[in-house]
């Protein structure tokens, strides 16, 4: 401290102690930077090799014809034209949107609903949290095995229950009208635990005094929820809506484990088409073009969400 | 107990690490991590390192048998033979390895990408090896219909893979359920008596339907799910040049007309597009359907169930013949850039040889040999009672028709096209077959 006081406001003379201190202070950040980069090097290398490199490669591939083995030939924009003119891919895009429209609100509403209920679960909260979170960490194959049974129109207990009360039991995975809603149900079931944990964390971070003040002002439970809890939870809602929409646009695993490589048109989504086009049809250029279009669509949707946040997201201290 | 004080004391107690040594250590660690992939790549080369690595998609319990076989081959070849079990998407991993020039010395190849591997010269022509005197296997050992898809799609010479084993589609039936429905002579007995005809099957399905059960499930829209119903009743699917003709062949049209009638009447139910083993099979196991057509793959599950079962060939016009029907198979190929081609070829020869198949398939396997003469495997435990017919069906059957395997897009799009038509239920045999033939001929629908 004394050194800093003594040195401040004076010009260091070469060879003086102050001069040495200044040199050391100038050198030290550079040395620290080198050390930091060295420690970051493995991570950065991984990022470049496994993330940025493949991303750039895919971007380039979108403008080439390539079967994965032979030489690449420049395709211009023809891959994009093929993708945009394909009825099958248009149908898959509609399916993806439909899935997103069903899954995202379904996840958000059920996650929020159960998180609010869990606030009152008392000592059983960890038990419920574990039960809700278990599907999140269950493998897709196990999930598929369970749901393939539940969706089997002939042996499913769900279908049998519907028939028992006189309702028709649809052929969940084979009827074009039900397949995407069925997939959304599985998505909501598996993703609910994550939503719940995030909403619970958001709810617990709300200052109790604000809620108590609202109570003193005579607010009903609904008014507290509507005018206090939800506005204070809005950053969490924004974050979860962005990540859920991205996740829903990229849905692939359920379709692949339910249908393998032969999913019917009514169940295909964009990422499924990307994988099929690349690895079943050996058309890596068209697959990359489709992936790039999906990326741009997601970028646009996320940008809109971030732009709109100014109108409804409330950031407290 | 953890506290900041403990941390501070602990730090003070440890010897000081100066900045220079820390930087030096960090630099070496960074260099080591940077160099590791490059060094690994240099050391590995094609085939992925020393020894002989081979890859397939089978996991336990089959992989345990593969590991035993690898140990056996290690002793025989004098190099370390290792099985690389690919968890997850086999094809994408294989393509990545091939693109990077580091594929295993030998690997399983499925019907959808064999033509592409041949076209891009990723796999070795086995002709010279098979013609050599010291080959562990000869082409004549194999059923002829099972390896045609391993030849170049353009009709060129060469053979680039050999079927590791196979699974012919056969007619599995629940004997108890048929008896309940009043079927006095089951399909296997009818085959033995020479009366297993189209009419006999229709009559059987009528009886089961009358009892409120499902008669026969049609597995899905893949070629192997429904081609058999055309060829077993004498229909010609492809002519000698390999061109599809079932849109014009009269017997094929008659067979399709019969198939559509059964679907319309409810004697047959279309299971829909589901992964292999998930469509019709769970219903068969749950005794909800009297019969399914699939391979020997269901046998381990059937052995655990309580109902009585057996199998028969598909019915035929004569009632006594084993007609050609689809046979599922995969091939083993040798990587064209592998370092030690001789050893890789020897491994392949031993793997697909009668001795190799006997080693792999005996003792509870669920596949059928792709070579002649191994009758004991399919009659193990006398389950099913008519198991010996598996070999006859494999011998008469056909793997994926080359006209279809030539174009990956055809195999990819066919199930989807057929699925739509079966579900819509408004196609005639002519319009149905016309659309499928158009897809095969054009490459895209």
């Amino acid at each position: 401290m004394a050194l800093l006081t003594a040195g401040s406001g004076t010009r260091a003379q070469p060879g003086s102690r102050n001069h040495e201190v200044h040199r050391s202070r100038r050198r030290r950040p550079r040395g620290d930077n080198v050390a930091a980069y060295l420690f970051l090097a493995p991570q950065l290398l991984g990022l470049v090799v496994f993330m940025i490199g493949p991303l750039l490669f895919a971007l380039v591939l979108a403008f080439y014809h390539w079967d994965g083995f032979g030489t690449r030939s420049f395709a211009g924009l023809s891959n994009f034209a093929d993708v945009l003119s394909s009825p099958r891919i248009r149908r898959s895009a509609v399916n993806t949107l439909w899935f997103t429209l069903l899954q995202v609100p379904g996840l958000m509403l059920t996650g929020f609903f159960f998180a609010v209920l869990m606030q009152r679960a008392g000592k059983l909260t960890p038990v419920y949290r574990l039960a809700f979170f278990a599907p999140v960490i269950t493998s897709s194959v196990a999930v598929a095995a369970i749901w393939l049974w539940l969706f089997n129109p002939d042996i499913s207990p769900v279908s049998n229950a519907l028939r028992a009360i006189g309702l028709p039991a649809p052929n969940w995975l084979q009827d074009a009208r039900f397949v995407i809603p069925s997939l959304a149900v599985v998505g909501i079931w598996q993703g609910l635990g994550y939503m719940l944990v995030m909403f619970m964390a958001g709810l617990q971070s709300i200052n109790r005094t604000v809620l108590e003040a609202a109570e003193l002002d005579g607010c009903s439970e609904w008014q507290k929820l509507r005018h206090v809890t939800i506005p204070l939870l809005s950053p969490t809602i924004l974050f979860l809506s962005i990540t859920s929409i991205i996740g829903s646009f990229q849905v692939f695993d359920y379709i692949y484990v339910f249908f393998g490589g032969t999913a019917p048109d009514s169940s295909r989504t964009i990422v499924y088409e990307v994988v099929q086009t690349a690895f079943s049809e050996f058309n890596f250029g068209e697959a990359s073009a489709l992936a790039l279009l999906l990326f741009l669509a997601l970028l646009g949707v996320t940008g809109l969400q971030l732009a709109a946040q100014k109108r409804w997201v409330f950031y407290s201290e | 107990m953890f506290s900041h004080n403990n941390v501070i004391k602990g730090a003070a107690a440890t010897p000081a690490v100066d900045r220079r040594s820390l930087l030096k250590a960090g630099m070496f660690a960074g260099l080591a991590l940077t160099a590791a992939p490059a060094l690994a790549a240099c050391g590995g080369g094609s085939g992925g390192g020393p020894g002989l690595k081979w890859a397939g998609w089978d996991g336990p319990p089959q992989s345990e048998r593969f590991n035993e076989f690898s140990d056996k081959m290690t002793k025989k070849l004098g190099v370390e033979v290792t099985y690389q079990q690919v968890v997850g998407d086999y094809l994408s991993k294989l393509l990545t390895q091939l693109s990077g020039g580091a594929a295993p010395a030998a690997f399983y190849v499925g019907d959808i990408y064999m033509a592409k591997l041949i076209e891009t010269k990723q796999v070795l022509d086995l002709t010279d090896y098979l013609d050599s005197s010291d080959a562990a296997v000869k082409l004549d050992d194999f059923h002829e219909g099972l390896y045609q898809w391993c030849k170049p799609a353009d009709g060129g010479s060469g053979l680039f893979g050999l079927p590791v084993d196979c699974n012919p589609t056969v007619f599995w039936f629940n004997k108890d359920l048929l008896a309940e429905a009043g079927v006095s002579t089951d399909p296997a007995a009818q085959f033995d008596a020479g009366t297993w005809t189209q009419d006999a099957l229709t009559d059987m399905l009528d009886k089961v339907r009358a009892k409120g059960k499902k008669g026969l499930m049609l597995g899905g829209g893949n070629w192997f799910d429904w081609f058999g119903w055309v060829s077993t009743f004498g229909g010609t699917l492809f002519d000698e040049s390999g061109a599809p003709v079932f849109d014009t062949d009269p017997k094929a049209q008659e067979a399709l007309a019969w198939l559509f009638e059964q679907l319309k009447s409810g004697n047959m139910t279309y299971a829909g597009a589901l992964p292999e083993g998930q469509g019709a099979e769970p219903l068969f196991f749950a005794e909800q359907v009297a019969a399914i057509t699939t391979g020997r793959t269901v046998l381990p599950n059937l052995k655990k169930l309580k109902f009585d079962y057996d199998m028969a060939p598909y019915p035929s016009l004569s009632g006594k013949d084993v007609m050609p029907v689809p046979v599922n198979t995969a091939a083993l190929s040798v990587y064209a850039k592998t370092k030690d081609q001789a050893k890789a070829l020897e491994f392949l020869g031993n793997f697909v040889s009668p001795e190799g198949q006997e080693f792999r398939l005996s003792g509870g396997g669920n596949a059928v040999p792709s070579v002649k003469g191994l009758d004991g495997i399919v009659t193990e435990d006398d389950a099913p009672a008519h198991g010996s017919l598996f070999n006859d069906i494999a011998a008469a059957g056909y793997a994926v028709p080359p006209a279809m395997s030539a174009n990956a897009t055809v195999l990819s799009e066919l199930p989807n096209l057929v699925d739509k038509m079966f579900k819509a239920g408004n196609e005639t045999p002519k319009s149905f077959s016309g659309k499928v033939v158009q897809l095969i001929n054009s490459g895209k629908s």
Side-chain angles (χ1 to χ4, degrees):
Chain A
M1 198 68 177
L3 269 177
L4 288 173
T5 309
S8 60
T10 60
R11 192 178 174 84
Q13 297 298 313
S16 70
R17 191 177 176 193
N18 279 359
H19 178 72
E20 288 302 314
V21 169
H22 273 269
R23 278 185 60 194
S24 166
R25 286 174 66 192
R26 277 201 305 272
R27 265 205 319 265
R28 189 165 182 160
R30 202 180 303 138
D32 285 350
N33 284 345
V34 172
Y37 281 122
L38 278 173
F39 280 111
L40 283 172
Q43 183 73 14
L44 289 175
L45 189 73
L47 187 74
V48 170
V49 172
F50 296 112
M51 295 290 292
I52 297 171
L55 270 174
L56 292 175
F57 186 51
L59 180 68
V60 172
L61 271 187
F63 299 92
Y64 280 84
H65 294 301
W66 191 46
D67 62 6
F69 301 104
T71 51
R72 289 180 283 275
S73 60
F74 187 66
L77 294 174
S78 70
N79 286 329
F80 293 92
D82 289 347
V83 163
L84 292 171
S85 62
S86 163
R88 198 183 74 193
I89 289 174
R90 275 205 297 272
R91 173 80 192 265
S92 299
V94 171
N95 290 342
T96 308
L97 279 175
W98 180 221
F99 178 82
T100 304
L101 282 172
L102 290 171
Q103 196 202 30
V104 174
L107 268 176
M108 303 283 289
L109 290 172
T110 51
F112 179 70
F113 175 73
F114 284 108
V116 170
L117 288 185
M118 291 270 282
Q119 296 294 94
R120 295 163 190 200
K123 288 180 181 174
L124 286 175
T125 302
V127 178
Y128 286 126
R129 199 162 43 203
L130 179 69
F132 277 113
F133 204 74
V136 180
I137 51 171
T138 306
S139 81
S140 297
V141 177
V143 168
I146 295 164
W147 283 96
L148 277 171
W149 173 62
L150 288 173
F151 284 144
N152 191 311
D154 294 288
I155 53 178
S156 158
V158 179
S159 298
N160 289 339
L162 285 174
R163 277 191 285 266
I165 56 172
L167 291 173
N171 194 341
W172 305 99
L173 294 179
Q174 298 302 323
D175 188 327
R177 294 166 302 168
F178 286 93
V179 60
I180 292 293
S182 301
L183 294 170
V185 166
V186 182
I188 292 167
W189 176 79
Q190 196 172 23
L192 176 60
Y194 174 74
M195 287 281 159
L196 185 83
V197 168
M198 296 301 284
F199 273 125
M200 281 180 74
L203 286 169
Q204 280 162 8
S205 69
I206 294 174
N207 194 335
R208 303 295 308 167
T209 55
V210 183
L211 291 166
E212 283 163 13
E215 254 175 49
L216 288 172
D217 286 344
C219 286
S220 65
E221 286 296 316
W222 167 248
Q223 284 171 321
K224 277 198 294 180
L225 186 74
R226 169 78 181 81
H227 298 293
V228 180
T229 306
I230 291 178
L232 289 175
L233 206 58
S234 55
T236 307
I237 296 171
L238 173 70
F239 170 76
L240 289 176
S241 66
I242 289 174
T243 51
S244 302
I245 288 175
I246 292 172
S248 297
F249 265 69
Q250 294 180 332
V251 65
F252 164 73
D253 50 354
Y254 301 133
I255 301 143
Y256 197 71
V257 293
F258 281 153
F259 298 101
T262 59
D265 279 357
S266 56
S267 64
R268 290 175 173 229
T269 57
I270 290 295
V271 175
Y272 185 88
E273 291 291 0
V274 170
V275 175
Q276 285 295 104
T277 308
F279 293 105
S280 290
E281 298 173 11
F282 302 99
N283 193 341
F284 285 82
E286 210 172 294
S288 299
L290 186 54
L292 184 60
L293 290 174
L294 176 67
F295 169 73
L296 292 174
L298 277 172
L299 198 66
V301 170
T302 308
L304 283 176
Q305 283 178 282
L306 290 174
Q309 66 156 329
K310 291 171 192 158
R311 293 173 183 273
W312 66 278
V313 178
F314 176 77
Y315 293 99
S316 61
E317 288 301 319
Chain B
M1 188 176 167
F2 180 84
S3 76
H4 285 290
N5 282 344
N6 290 347
V7 173
I8 291 164
K9 280 177 194 166
T14 51
V17 179
D18 64 49
R19 215 165 67 104
R20 186 179 295 274
S21 59
L22 190 66
L23 283 176
K24 206 185 282 177
M27 200 159 61
F28 278 120
L31 278 173
L33 282 167
T34 311
L39 291 171
C42 292
S46 60
L52 190 151
K53 290 187 171 61
W54 66 282
W57 49 70
D58 277 313
Q62 193 61 30
S63 58
E64 289 160 21
R65 193 65 66 91
F66 286 172
N67 288 332
E68 289 168 25
F69 186 79
S70 298
D71 293 342
K72 193 177 153 189
M73 290 308 296
T74 296
K75 288 173 193 155
K76 187 164 187 174
L77 299 180
V79 292
E80 182 76 24
V81 177
T82 316
Y83 173 55
Q84 278 185 350
Q85 180 198 327
V86 177
V87 179
D89 196 347
Y90 176 80
L91 176 57
S92 54
K93 179 166 184 186
L94 179 65
L95 289 184
T96 309
Q97 289 177 315
L98 289 167
S99 296
F107 48 84
Y108 269 39
V109 180
D111 55 10
I112 205 163
Y113 46 97
M114 175 61 92
K116 182 58 76 178
L117 296 187
I118 296 171
E119 180 195 325
T120 52
K121 299 183 171 52
Q122 298 291 328
V123 286
L124 210 61
D125 184 2
L126 308 176
T127 313
D128 289 344
Y129 169 73
L130 290 169
D131 289 342
S132 65
S133 57
D134 54 348
V137 70
K138 297 289 173 196
L139 196 55
D140 287 345
D141 292 335
F142 293 88
H143 302 305
E144 198 180 345
L146 304 189
Y147 58 80
Q148 302 303 322
W149 62 285
C150 300
K151 294 178 176 176
D154 60 6
S157 61
L159 184 74
F160 295 83
L162 285 169
V164 289
D165 49 45
C166 69
N167 245 305
T169 48
V170 304
F171 191 93
W172 290 96
F173 55 90
N174 180 328
K175 291 173 88 167
D176 297 345
L177 218 150
L178 290 183
E180 277 174 37
V183 178
S184 53
T185 314
D186 70 42
Q190 293 212 33
F191 176 76
D192 290 341
T195 57
W196 182 222
T197 60
Q198 190 181 68
D199 288 341
L201 173 60
T202 310
D203 181 56
M204 185 193 95
L205 297 177
D206 284 339
K207 285 178 177 166
V208 176
R209 180 162 54 92
K211 282 283 176 186
K213 292 279 186 184
K214 286 187 165 71
L216 177 65
M217 292 291 280
L218 193 64
N222 270 309
W223 67 274
F224 49 79
D225 289 314
W226 57 276
F227 269 21
W229 291 113
V230 177
S231 53
T232 198
F233 294 132
T236 303
L237 290 159
F238 296 85
D239 65 16
E240 285 182 2
S241 71
V245 294
F246 52 92
D247 58 333
T248 52
D249 180 70
K251 283 192 173 175
Q253 290 294 302
E254 281 172 26
L256 282 171
W258 174 85
L259 179 67
F260 284 14
E261 273 170 31
Q262 303 312 304
L263 286 166
K264 199 172 178 183
S265 70
N267 277 354
M268 276 194 193
T269 309
Y270 176 60
L274 286 172
E276 199 178 331
Q278 291 296 339
E281 289 164 24
L283 292 184
F284 187 62
F285 299 149
E287 301 186 60
Q288 296 297 311
V289 60
I292 55 171
T293 52
T294 188
R296 193 167 175 251
T297 45
V298 293
L299 186 59
N301 278 336
L302 287 174
K303 283 179 177 175
K304 295 174 196 163
L305 296 169
K306 289 178 181 166
F307 63 83
D308 202 2
Y309 62 88
D310 199 356
M311 52 77 73
Y314 278 52
S316 62
L317 292 177
S318 71
K320 60 183 178 185
D321 291 321
V322 174
M323 294 297 286
V325 291
V327 182
N328 276 307
T329 186
L332 189 70
S333 294
V334 168
Y335 183 35
K337 295 175 191 167
T338 196
K339 281 176 189 166
D340 196 340
Q341 290 187 351
K343 287 231 171 2
L345 286 166
E346 201 177 341
F347 171 80
L348 177 140
N350 280 278
F351 191 85
V352 299
S353 70
E355 295 75 22
Q357 295 203 31
E358 189 167 21
F359 182 88
R360 290 184 286 114
L361 302 177
S362 59
N366 63 358
V368 174
S370 56
V371 289
K372 301 163 192 167
L374 293 179
D375 296 330
I377 288 168
V378 289
T379 53
E380 273 178 5
D381 305 329
D382 288 328
H386 283 74
S388 61
L389 289 167
F390 274 118
N391 281 335
D392 300 330
I393 300 167
Y398 50 89
V400 59
M404 297 173 69
S405 63
N407 189 326
T409 307
V410 170
L411 283 180
S412 171
E413 291 198 357
L414 178 75
N416 205 2
L417 172 69
V418 172
D419 180 77
K420 272 189 280 192
M421 291 195 283
F422 276 153
K423 280 178 181 164
N426 54 9
E427 298 287 340
T428 63
K430 188 73 182 168
S431 65
F432 172 87
S433 53
K435 286 176 185 173
V436 176
V437 167
Q438 189 187 3
L439 171 67
I440 295 170
N441 285 336
S442 68
K444 283 207 173 194
S445 61

